[in-house]
Coordinates of all heavy atoms in Angstrom, one line a residue:
M12 N -16.4 2.7 -0.6 CA -15.7 2.1 -1.6 C -16.1 0.6 -1.7 O -16.2 0.0 -0.7 CB -14.2 2.2 -1.5 CG -13.4 1.7 -2.6 SD -11.7 2.3 -2.6 CE -10.9 0.8 -1.9
K13 N -16.3 0.1 -2.9 CA -16.8 -1.2 -3.1 C -15.6 -2.1 -2.8 O -14.5 -1.9 -3.1 CB -17.2 -1.5 -4.6 CG -18.5 -0.8 -5.0 CD -18.9 -1.2 -6.3 CE -20.2 -0.7 -6.8 NZ -20.6 -1.1 -8.1
K14 N -16.0 -3.3 -2.2 CA -15.0 -4.4 -2.0 C -14.7 -5.0 -3.4 O -15.6 -5.2 -4.2 CB -15.5 -5.5 -1.1 CG -15.8 -4.9 0.4 CD -14.5 -4.8 1.1 CE -14.8 -4.3 2.6 NZ -13.7 -4.2 3.3
R15 N -13.5 -5.4 -3.6 CA -13.1 -6.0 -4.9 C -12.8 -7.5 -4.8 O -12.2 -7.9 -3.9 CB -11.8 -5.3 -5.4 CG -12.0 -3.8 -5.6 CD -10.9 -3.2 -6.3 NE -10.7 -3.7 -7.6 CZ -9.5 -3.8 -8.3 NH1 -8.4 -3.5 -7.6 NH2 -9.4 -4.3 -9.4
I16 N -13.4 -8.2 -5.7 CA -13.3 -9.6 -5.7 C -12.8 -10.1 -7.1 O -13.2 -9.6 -8.1 CB -14.7 -10.3 -5.5 CG1 -15.3 -9.9 -4.2 CG2 -14.6 -11.8 -5.7 CD1 -16.7 -10.4 -3.8
L17 N -11.9 -11.0 -7.0 CA -11.3 -11.7 -8.3 C -11.9 -13.1 -8.3 O -11.7 -13.9 -7.3 CB -9.8 -11.8 -8.3 CG -9.2 -12.4 -9.4 CD1 -9.6 -11.7 -10.8 CD2 -7.7 -12.6 -9.3
I18 N -12.6 -13.4 -9.4 CA -13.2 -14.8 -9.5 C -12.2 -15.6 -10.4 O -12.0 -15.1 -11.6 CB -14.5 -14.8 -10.1 CG1 -15.5 -14.1 -9.1 CG2 -15.1 -16.3 -10.4 CD1 -17.0 -13.9 -9.7
I19 N -11.6 -16.6 -9.9 CA -10.7 -17.4 -10.7 C -11.4 -18.8 -11.1 O -11.4 -19.6 -10.2 CB -9.4 -17.6 -10.0 CG1 -8.8 -16.3 -9.5 CG2 -8.4 -18.3 -10.9 CD1 -7.8 -16.3 -8.4
E20 N -12.0 -18.9 -12.2 CA -12.8 -20.0 -12.6 C -12.7 -20.2 -14.1 O -12.9 -19.2 -14.9 CB -14.2 -19.7 -12.2 CG -15.2 -20.7 -12.7 CD -15.0 -22.1 -12.2 OE1 -15.0 -22.3 -10.9 OE2 -14.7 -23.0 -13.0
D21 N -12.4 -21.4 -14.6 CA -12.3 -21.6 -16.0 C -13.6 -22.0 -16.7 O -13.7 -21.7 -17.9 CB -11.2 -22.7 -16.3 CG -11.6 -24.0 -15.7 OD1 -12.2 -24.1 -14.6 OD2 -11.3 -25.1 -16.3
D22 N -14.6 -22.3 -15.9 CA -15.9 -22.6 -16.5 C -16.6 -21.3 -16.7 O -16.9 -20.6 -15.8 CB -16.7 -23.6 -15.5 CG -18.0 -23.9 -16.1 OD1 -18.9 -23.0 -16.2 OD2 -18.2 -25.1 -16.4
Q23 N -16.9 -21.0 -18.0 CA -17.5 -19.7 -18.3 C -18.8 -19.5 -17.7 O -19.1 -18.4 -17.2 CB -17.6 -19.6 -19.8 CG -18.2 -18.2 -20.2 CD -18.3 -18.0 -21.8 OE1 -17.8 -18.9 -22.5 NE2 -18.9 -16.9 -22.2
F24 N -19.7 -20.5 -17.6 CA -21.1 -20.4 -17.0 C -20.9 -20.0 -15.6 O -21.5 -19.1 -15.1 CB -21.8 -21.7 -17.2 CG -23.2 -21.6 -16.4 CD1 -24.2 -20.9 -17.0 CD2 -23.2 -22.2 -15.2 CE1 -25.5 -20.9 -16.3 CE2 -24.4 -22.1 -14.5 CZ -25.5 -21.5 -15.1
L25 N -20.1 -20.8 -14.8 CA -19.8 -20.5 -13.3 C -19.3 -19.0 -13.1 O -19.7 -18.3 -12.3 CB -19.1 -21.6 -12.7 CG -19.7 -22.9 -12.5 CD1 -18.7 -23.9 -12.0 CD2 -21.0 -22.8 -11.7
R26 N -18.2 -18.7 -14.0 CA -17.6 -17.5 -13.8 C -18.6 -16.3 -14.0 O -18.6 -15.4 -13.2 CB -16.5 -17.4 -14.8 CG -15.5 -16.2 -14.6 CD -14.3 -16.4 -15.6 NE -14.6 -16.3 -17.0 CZ -14.4 -17.3 -17.9 NH1 -14.0 -18.5 -17.4 NH2 -14.8 -17.3 -19.1
E27 N -19.4 -16.4 -15.0 CA -20.4 -15.3 -15.2 C -21.5 -15.4 -14.3 O -22.0 -14.3 -13.8 CB -20.9 -15.5 -16.7 CG -20.0 -15.2 -17.8 CD -20.4 -15.5 -19.2 OE1 -21.5 -16.0 -19.3 OE2 -19.6 -15.2 -20.2
F28 N -21.9 -16.5 -13.8 CA -23.0 -16.6 -12.8 C -22.5 -16.0 -11.4 O -23.2 -15.1 -10.9 CB -23.2 -18.1 -12.5 CG -24.3 -18.3 -11.5 CD1 -25.6 -18.0 -11.5 CD2 -23.8 -18.8 -10.1 CE1 -26.5 -18.2 -10.4 CE2 -24.7 -19.0 -9.1 CZ -26.0 -18.7 -9.2
Y29 N -21.3 -16.3 -11.0 CA -20.8 -15.7 -9.7 C -20.6 -14.2 -9.9 O -20.9 -13.4 -9.0 CB -19.4 -16.3 -9.4 CG -19.4 -17.8 -9.0 CD1 -18.4 -18.6 -9.3 CD2 -20.5 -18.3 -8.3 CE1 -18.4 -20.0 -9.0 CE2 -20.6 -19.7 -8.1 CZ -19.5 -20.5 -8.4 OH -19.4 -21.8 -8.0
Q30 N -20.1 -13.8 -11.1 CA -19.9 -12.4 -11.3 C -21.2 -11.6 -11.2 O -21.2 -10.6 -10.7 CB -19.2 -12.2 -12.6 CG -18.9 -10.7 -13.0 CD -18.2 -10.4 -14.3 OE1 -18.0 -11.3 -15.1 NE2 -17.6 -9.3 -14.4
E31 N -22.2 -12.1 -12.0 CA -23.5 -11.4 -12.0 C -24.1 -11.4 -10.5 O -24.6 -10.3 -10.0 CB -24.4 -12.1 -12.9 CG -25.7 -11.5 -13.0 CD -26.8 -12.2 -14.0 OE1 -26.2 -12.6 -15.1 OE2 -27.9 -12.3 -13.8
L32 N -24.0 -12.4 -9.8 CA -24.5 -12.5 -8.5 C -23.9 -11.5 -7.4 O -24.5 -10.8 -6.8 CB -24.4 -14.0 -7.9 CG -24.9 -14.2 -6.6 CD1 -26.4 -14.3 -6.5 CD2 -24.3 -15.6 -6.0
L33 N -22.6 -11.5 -7.5 CA -21.7 -10.6 -6.6 C -21.9 -9.2 -7.0 O -21.9 -8.4 -6.2 CB -20.3 -11.1 -6.6 CG -20.1 -12.4 -6.0 CD1 -18.7 -12.9 -6.2 CD2 -20.3 -12.3 -4.5
E34 N -21.9 -8.9 -8.4 CA -22.1 -7.5 -8.7 C -23.5 -7.0 -8.3 O -23.7 -5.8 -7.9 CB -22.0 -7.3 -10.3 CG -20.4 -7.5 -10.7 CD -20.2 -7.4 -12.2 OE1 -21.2 -7.6 -12.9 OE2 -19.1 -7.2 -12.6
G35 N -24.5 -7.9 -8.4 CA -25.8 -7.6 -7.9 C -25.9 -7.2 -6.4 O -26.8 -6.5 -6.0
E36 N -24.9 -7.7 -5.7 CA -24.9 -7.4 -4.3 C -24.0 -6.2 -4.0 O -23.7 -5.8 -2.8 CB -24.3 -8.7 -3.5 CG -25.2 -9.8 -3.5 CD -26.5 -9.5 -2.8 OE1 -26.5 -8.9 -1.7 OE2 -27.6 -10.0 -3.2
G37 N -23.4 -5.5 -5.1 CA -22.7 -4.4 -4.8 C -21.2 -4.4 -4.9 O -20.5 -3.5 -4.5
Y38 N -20.6 -5.7 -5.2 CA -19.2 -5.8 -5.3 C -18.6 -5.5 -6.6 O -19.3 -5.6 -7.6 CB -18.8 -7.3 -4.9 CG -19.2 -7.6 -3.5 CD1 -20.3 -8.4 -3.3 CD2 -18.3 -7.4 -2.5 CE1 -20.7 -8.7 -2.0 CE2 -18.7 -7.7 -1.1 CZ -19.9 -8.4 -0.9 OH -20.2 -8.8 0.3
A39 N -17.3 -5.0 -6.6 CA -16.6 -4.7 -7.9 C -15.9 -6.1 -8.2 O -15.1 -6.6 -7.4 CB -15.6 -3.7 -7.7
V40 N -16.3 -6.7 -9.3 CA -15.8 -8.1 -9.6 C -15.0 -8.1 -10.9 O -15.4 -7.5 -11.9 CB -17.0 -9.0 -9.7 CG1 -16.5 -10.4 -10.1 CG2 -17.8 -9.1 -8.5
E41 N -13.9 -8.7 -10.8 CA -13.1 -9.1 -12.0 C -12.9 -10.5 -12.1 O -13.1 -11.2 -11.1 CB -11.7 -8.4 -11.9 CG -11.9 -6.9 -12.0 CD -10.5 -6.2 -12.0 OE1 -9.5 -6.8 -12.6 OE2 -10.4 -5.1 -11.4
T42 N -12.6 -11.0 -13.3 CA -12.5 -12.5 -13.5 C -11.2 -12.9 -14.1 O -10.6 -12.1 -14.8 CB -13.7 -13.1 -14.3 OG1 -13.6 -12.5 -15.7 CG2 -15.0 -12.7 -13.6
A43 N -10.8 -14.2 -13.9 CA -9.7 -14.7 -14.7 C -10.0 -16.1 -15.0 O -10.5 -16.9 -14.1 CB -8.4 -14.7 -13.7
A44 N -9.7 -16.6 -16.2 CA -10.1 -17.9 -16.7 C -9.1 -18.9 -16.5 O -9.3 -20.1 -16.8 CB -10.7 -17.8 -18.2
D45 N -7.8 -18.5 -16.2 CA -6.7 -19.5 -16.0 C -5.8 -19.0 -14.9 O -5.8 -17.8 -14.5 CB -6.0 -19.8 -17.3 CG -5.1 -18.7 -17.9 OD1 -4.3 -18.3 -17.1 OD2 -5.4 -18.2 -18.9
G46 N -4.9 -20.0 -14.4 CA -4.1 -19.6 -13.3 C -3.0 -18.6 -13.6 O -2.7 -17.9 -12.6
E47 N -2.5 -18.6 -14.7 CA -1.4 -17.6 -15.1 C -1.9 -16.2 -15.1 O -1.4 -15.3 -14.4 CB -0.7 -17.9 -16.4 CG 0.2 -19.1 -16.3 CD 0.9 -19.5 -17.6 OE1 0.6 -18.6 -18.6 OE2 1.6 -20.4 -17.7
V48 N -3.2 -16.0 -15.6 CA -3.7 -14.6 -15.6 C -4.1 -14.3 -14.2 O -3.9 -13.1 -13.8 CB -5.0 -14.6 -16.6 CG1 -5.8 -13.4 -16.4 CG2 -4.6 -14.8 -18.0
A49 N -4.6 -15.2 -13.4 CA -5.1 -15.0 -12.0 C -3.8 -14.5 -11.2 O -3.9 -13.5 -10.5 CB -5.7 -16.2 -11.4
L50 N -2.7 -15.2 -11.3 CA -1.5 -14.9 -10.5 C -1.0 -13.5 -10.9 O -0.7 -12.7 -10.0 CB -0.5 -15.9 -10.8 CG 0.7 -16.1 -9.8 CD1 0.2 -16.2 -8.3 CD2 1.6 -17.1 -10.2
K51 N -1.0 -13.2 -12.1 CA -0.7 -11.8 -12.6 C -1.6 -10.8 -12.0 O -1.1 -9.7 -11.5 CB -0.7 -11.7 -14.1 CG -0.2 -10.5 -14.8 CD -0.3 -10.5 -16.2 CE 0.2 -9.3 -16.9 NZ -0.7 -8.2 -16.9
E52 N -2.8 -11.0 -12.1 CA -3.9 -10.0 -11.4 C -3.6 -9.9 -10.0 O -3.6 -8.7 -9.5 CB -5.2 -10.5 -11.7 CG -5.7 -10.5 -13.2 CD -5.8 -9.1 -13.7 OE1 -6.5 -8.3 -13.1 OE2 -5.3 -8.8 -14.7
L53 N -3.3 -11.0 -9.3 CA -3.3 -10.9 -7.8 C -1.9 -10.2 -7.4 O -1.9 -9.5 -6.4 CB -3.2 -12.3 -7.2 CG -4.5 -13.0 -7.2 CD1 -4.4 -14.5 -6.9 CD2 -5.6 -12.4 -6.3
R54 N -1.0 -10.2 -8.3 CA 0.3 -9.5 -7.9 C 0.3 -8.0 -8.4 O 1.1 -7.2 -7.8 CB 1.5 -10.2 -8.6 CG 1.8 -11.6 -7.9 CD 3.0 -12.2 -8.5 NE 3.4 -13.4 -7.7 CZ 3.9 -14.4 -8.2 NH1 4.2 -14.5 -9.5 NH2 4.2 -15.5 -7.5
E55 N -0.6 -7.7 -9.3 CA -0.5 -6.3 -9.8 C -1.7 -5.5 -9.2 O -1.6 -4.2 -9.2 CB -0.7 -6.4 -11.4 CG 0.5 -6.9 -12.0 CD 0.4 -7.0 -13.5 OE1 -0.7 -6.5 -14.1 OE2 1.3 -7.4 -14.1
K56 N -2.8 -6.1 -8.8 CA -4.0 -5.3 -8.3 C -4.3 -5.7 -6.9 O -4.0 -6.8 -6.5 CB -5.2 -5.5 -9.3 CG -5.0 -5.0 -10.7 CD -6.1 -5.4 -11.5 CE -5.9 -5.0 -12.9 NZ -7.0 -5.4 -13.8
E57 N -5.1 -4.9 -6.3 CA -5.5 -5.2 -4.9 C -6.9 -5.7 -4.9 O -7.8 -5.1 -5.5 CB -5.4 -3.9 -4.0 CG -3.9 -3.5 -3.8 CD -3.8 -2.5 -2.6 OE1 -4.6 -2.5 -1.7 OE2 -2.7 -1.9 -2.6
Y58 N -7.1 -6.8 -4.2 CA -8.4 -7.4 -4.1 C -8.7 -7.7 -2.5 O -7.8 -7.9 -1.7 CB -8.5 -8.7 -4.9 CG -8.4 -8.6 -6.3 CD1 -7.1 -8.8 -7.0 CD2 -9.5 -8.2 -7.1 CE1 -7.0 -8.6 -8.2 CE2 -9.3 -8.1 -8.4 CZ -8.2 -8.2 -9.1 OH -8.0 -8.0 -10.4
D59 N -9.9 -7.7 -2.2 CA -10.3 -8.0 -0.9 C -10.5 -9.6 -0.7 O -10.3 -10.2 0.4 CB -11.6 -7.3 -0.4 CG -11.4 -5.8 -0.4 OD1 -10.7 -5.4 0.4 OD2 -11.9 -5.1 -1.3
L60 N -11.0 -10.2 -1.8 CA -11.3 -11.7 -1.8 C -11.0 -12.1 -3.2 O -11.2 -11.6 -4.2 CB -12.8 -11.8 -1.5 CG -13.3 -13.3 -1.6 CD1 -12.7 -14.1 -0.4 CD2 -14.9 -13.2 -1.5
A61 N -10.5 -13.5 -3.2 CA -10.3 -14.1 -4.4 C -11.0 -15.5 -4.2 O -10.7 -16.2 -3.3 CB -8.8 -14.4 -4.7
L62 N -11.9 -15.8 -5.2 CA -12.6 -17.1 -5.2 C -11.8 -18.0 -6.2 O -11.8 -17.7 -7.4 CB -14.1 -16.9 -5.6 CG -14.9 -16.0 -4.8 CD1 -16.3 -15.9 -5.4 CD2 -14.9 -16.6 -3.4
L63 N -11.1 -19.0 -5.7 CA -10.2 -19.7 -6.4 C -10.6 -21.2 -6.7 O -10.8 -22.0 -5.8 CB -8.8 -19.8 -5.6 CG -7.6 -20.5 -6.2 CD1 -7.3 -20.0 -7.6 CD2 -6.5 -20.5 -5.2
D64 N -10.7 -21.5 -8.0 CA -10.9 -22.9 -8.4 C -9.7 -23.6 -8.3 O -8.6 -23.1 -8.4 CB -11.4 -22.9 -9.8 CG -11.9 -24.3 -10.4 OD1 -12.1 -25.2 -9.5 OD2 -12.2 -24.3 -11.6
I65 N -9.8 -24.9 -8.0 CA -8.5 -25.7 -7.8 C -8.0 -26.2 -9.2 O -6.8 -26.2 -9.5 CB -8.8 -26.9 -6.9 CG1 -9.0 -26.4 -5.5 CG2 -7.6 -27.9 -6.8 CD1 -8.0 -25.5 -4.8
M66 N -8.9 -26.8 -10.0 CA -8.6 -27.3 -11.4 C -8.7 -26.2 -12.4 O -9.8 -25.8 -12.7 CB -9.5 -28.5 -11.7 CG -9.2 -29.6 -10.8 SD -10.2 -31.1 -11.1 CE -9.8 -31.4 -12.7
L67 N -7.6 -25.7 -12.8 CA -7.5 -24.5 -13.8 C -6.5 -24.9 -14.9 O -5.5 -25.6 -14.6 CB -7.1 -23.3 -13.1 CG -8.0 -22.6 -12.1 CD1 -7.3 -21.7 -11.3 CD2 -9.1 -22.0 -12.8
P68 N -6.6 -24.3 -16.1 CA -5.6 -24.5 -17.1 C -4.4 -23.6 -16.8 O -4.4 -22.6 -16.1 CB -6.3 -24.0 -18.4 CG -7.6 -23.3 -18.0 CD -7.8 -23.7 -16.5
K69 N -3.3 -24.1 -17.3 CA -2.0 -23.3 -17.2 C -1.3 -23.4 -15.8 O -0.1 -23.7 -15.8 CB -2.0 -21.9 -17.8 CG -2.4 -21.8 -19.2 CD -2.4 -20.5 -19.7 CE -2.8 -20.5 -21.1 NZ -2.8 -19.1 -21.7
K70 N -2.0 -23.1 -14.7 CA -1.5 -23.2 -13.4 C -2.7 -23.6 -12.5 O -3.7 -22.8 -12.5 CB -0.8 -22.0 -13.0 CG -0.2 -22.0 -11.6 CD 0.5 -20.8 -11.3 CE 1.8 -20.7 -11.9 NZ 2.9 -21.5 -11.4
D71 N -2.7 -24.6 -11.7 CA -3.8 -25.1 -10.9 C -3.9 -24.2 -9.6 O -3.0 -23.4 -9.3 CB -3.9 -26.5 -10.6 CG -2.8 -26.9 -9.8 OD1 -2.1 -26.1 -9.0 OD2 -2.5 -28.2 -9.7
G72 N -5.0 -24.2 -9.0 CA -5.2 -23.4 -7.7 C -4.2 -23.6 -6.7 O -3.7 -22.6 -6.0
L73 N -3.8 -24.8 -6.5 CA -2.7 -25.1 -5.5 C -1.4 -24.5 -5.9 O -0.7 -24.1 -5.0 CB -2.6 -26.7 -5.3 CG -3.8 -27.3 -4.7 CD1 -3.7 -28.8 -4.6 CD2 -4.2 -26.7 -3.3
G74 N -1.1 -24.5 -7.2 CA 0.2 -23.8 -7.6 C 0.1 -22.4 -7.5 O 1.1 -21.7 -7.1
I75 N -1.1 -21.8 -7.6 CA -1.2 -20.4 -7.3 C -0.9 -20.1 -5.8 O -0.3 -19.1 -5.5 CB -2.7 -19.8 -7.8 CG1 -2.8 -20.0 -9.2 CG2 -2.9 -18.5 -7.1 CD1 -4.3 -19.6 -9.7
L76 N -1.5 -20.9 -5.0 CA -1.3 -20.7 -3.6 C 0.2 -20.8 -3.2 O 0.7 -20.1 -2.4 CB -2.2 -21.8 -2.8 CG -3.6 -21.5 -2.7 CD1 -4.4 -22.6 -2.1 CD2 -4.1 -20.1 -2.2
R77 N 0.8 -21.9 -3.8 CA 2.3 -22.0 -3.5 C 3.1 -20.8 -4.0 O 3.9 -20.3 -3.3 CB 2.8 -23.2 -4.2 CG 2.5 -24.6 -3.4 CD 3.2 -25.8 -4.0 NE 2.8 -26.1 -5.4 CZ 1.8 -26.9 -5.6 NH1 1.2 -27.5 -4.7 NH2 1.5 -27.1 -6.9
D78 N 2.8 -20.3 -5.1 CA 3.5 -19.2 -5.7 C 3.2 -17.9 -4.9 O 4.1 -17.1 -4.6 CB 3.1 -18.9 -7.2 CG 3.6 -19.9 -8.1 OD1 4.5 -20.7 -7.7 OD2 3.3 -19.8 -9.3
L79 N 2.0 -17.7 -4.3 CA 1.7 -16.6 -3.5 C 2.3 -16.7 -2.1 O 2.6 -15.6 -1.5 CB 0.1 -16.4 -3.4 CG -0.6 -15.9 -4.6 CD1 -2.1 -16.0 -4.3 CD2 -0.1 -14.6 -5.1
K80 N 2.6 -17.8 -1.7 CA 3.3 -18.0 -0.4 C 4.8 -17.5 -0.5 O 5.4 -16.8 0.3 CB 3.4 -19.5 0.1 CG 3.8 -19.6 1.5 CD 3.6 -21.1 2.0 CE 3.9 -21.1 3.4 NZ 3.6 -22.4 4.0
I81 N 5.4 -17.7 -1.8 CA 6.7 -17.4 -2.0 C 6.8 -15.9 -2.3 O 7.7 -15.1 -1.8 CB 7.3 -18.1 -3.2 CG1 7.5 -19.7 -2.8 CG2 8.7 -17.6 -3.6 CD1 7.7 -20.6 -3.9
T82 N 5.9 -15.4 -3.2 CA 5.8 -13.9 -3.6 C 4.4 -13.5 -3.3 O 3.5 -13.8 -4.1 CB 6.1 -13.7 -5.1 OG1 7.4 -14.4 -5.3 CG2 6.2 -12.3 -5.4
P83 N 4.2 -12.9 -2.2 CA 2.9 -12.5 -1.8 C 2.1 -11.6 -2.7 O 2.7 -10.9 -3.6 CB 3.0 -11.8 -0.4 CG 4.3 -12.3 0.1 CD 5.1 -12.5 -1.2
P84 N 0.8 -11.7 -2.7 CA 0.0 -10.7 -3.6 C 0.1 -9.3 -3.2 O 0.6 -9.0 -2.1 CB -1.5 -11.3 -3.3 CG -1.5 -11.8 -2.0 CD -0.1 -12.4 -1.9
K85 N -0.3 -8.4 -4.1 CA -0.3 -7.0 -3.8 C -1.1 -6.6 -2.5 O -0.6 -5.9 -1.7 CB -0.8 -6.1 -5.0 CG -0.6 -4.7 -4.7 CD -0.8 -4.0 -6.0 CE -0.5 -2.4 -5.7 NZ -0.5 -1.6 -6.9
S86 N -2.3 -7.2 -2.3 CA -3.1 -7.0 -1.2 C -2.5 -7.8 0.0 O -2.4 -9.0 0.0 CB -4.6 -7.5 -1.4 OG -5.0 -6.9 -2.5
T87 N -2.3 -7.1 1.1 CA -1.7 -7.7 2.2 C -2.8 -8.4 3.1 O -2.5 -9.2 3.9 CB -1.0 -6.6 3.2 OG1 -1.9 -5.6 3.5 CG2 0.2 -6.0 2.5
D88 N -4.1 -7.9 3.0 CA -5.1 -8.6 3.7 C -6.1 -9.4 2.8 O -7.3 -9.6 3.1 CB -5.9 -7.6 4.5 CG -6.5 -6.5 3.6 OD1 -6.2 -6.4 2.4 OD2 -7.4 -5.7 4.2
L89 N -5.6 -9.9 1.7 CA -6.4 -10.7 0.7 C -6.9 -12.1 1.4 O -6.2 -12.7 2.1 CB -5.6 -11.1 -0.5 CG -6.2 -11.9 -1.5 CD1 -7.3 -11.3 -2.2 CD2 -5.2 -12.4 -2.5
S90 N -8.2 -12.4 1.3 CA -8.7 -13.7 1.7 C -8.9 -14.5 0.4 O -9.5 -14.1 -0.6 CB -10.1 -13.5 2.3 OG -9.9 -12.7 3.5
I91 N -8.4 -15.7 0.5 CA -8.6 -16.7 -0.6 C -9.3 -17.9 -0.1 O -9.0 -18.4 1.0 CB -7.2 -17.1 -1.1 CG1 -6.5 -16.0 -1.7 CG2 -7.4 -18.2 -2.2 CD1 -5.1 -16.2 -2.3

């Protein structure tokens, strides 16, 4: 089974670059362009890794980390 990665990045070029690179290495990759979407994804789906940008629209990366500490993500072994 492929490892699942969530890329949380508001810059479209970087988001697509990382996605293409990681999919080329055999990972299943999903993306989120803002913090609110990312937080929803992390709570509803299981990921092995989340690549988290700090400066994001709607909710910054540090806010996501604070929220996940209060209400943990669906994946119990998620690496951020």
Side-chain angles (χ1 to χ4, degrees):
M12 186 164 98
K13 290 183 177 185
K14 297 285 186 175
R15 297 188 67 212
I16 299 174
L17 178 63
I18 299 170
I19 307 162
E20 172 62 63
D21 60 325
D22 182 291
Q23 182 179 353
F24 174 80
L25 289 175
R26 193 172 57 245
E27 290 174 356
F28 174 75
Y29 295 145
Q30 182 175 13
E31 185 178 319
L32 180 71
L33 291 166
E34 286 176 343
E36 293 296 321
Y38 295 99
V40 179
E41 292 184 34
T42 64
D45 69 61
E47 288 180 359
V48 171
L50 196 55
K51 182 178 184 285
E52 291 290 307
L53 290 167
R54 288 187 173 148
E55 293 178 359
K56 299 178 184 176
E57 292 196 24
Y58 295 97
D59 297 291
L60 175 68
L62 299 177
L63 177 61
D64 188 9
I65 296 299
M66 296 178 61
L67 293 164
K69 299 186 182 177
K70 182 178 286 286
D71 67 22
L73 296 176
I75 291 171
L76 292 174
R77 279 190 294 273
D78 286 356
L79 289 174
K80 191 170 186 176
I81 295 166
T82 306
K85 184 168 184 170
S86 301
T87 56
D88 60 346
L89 174 68
S90 297
I91 298 179

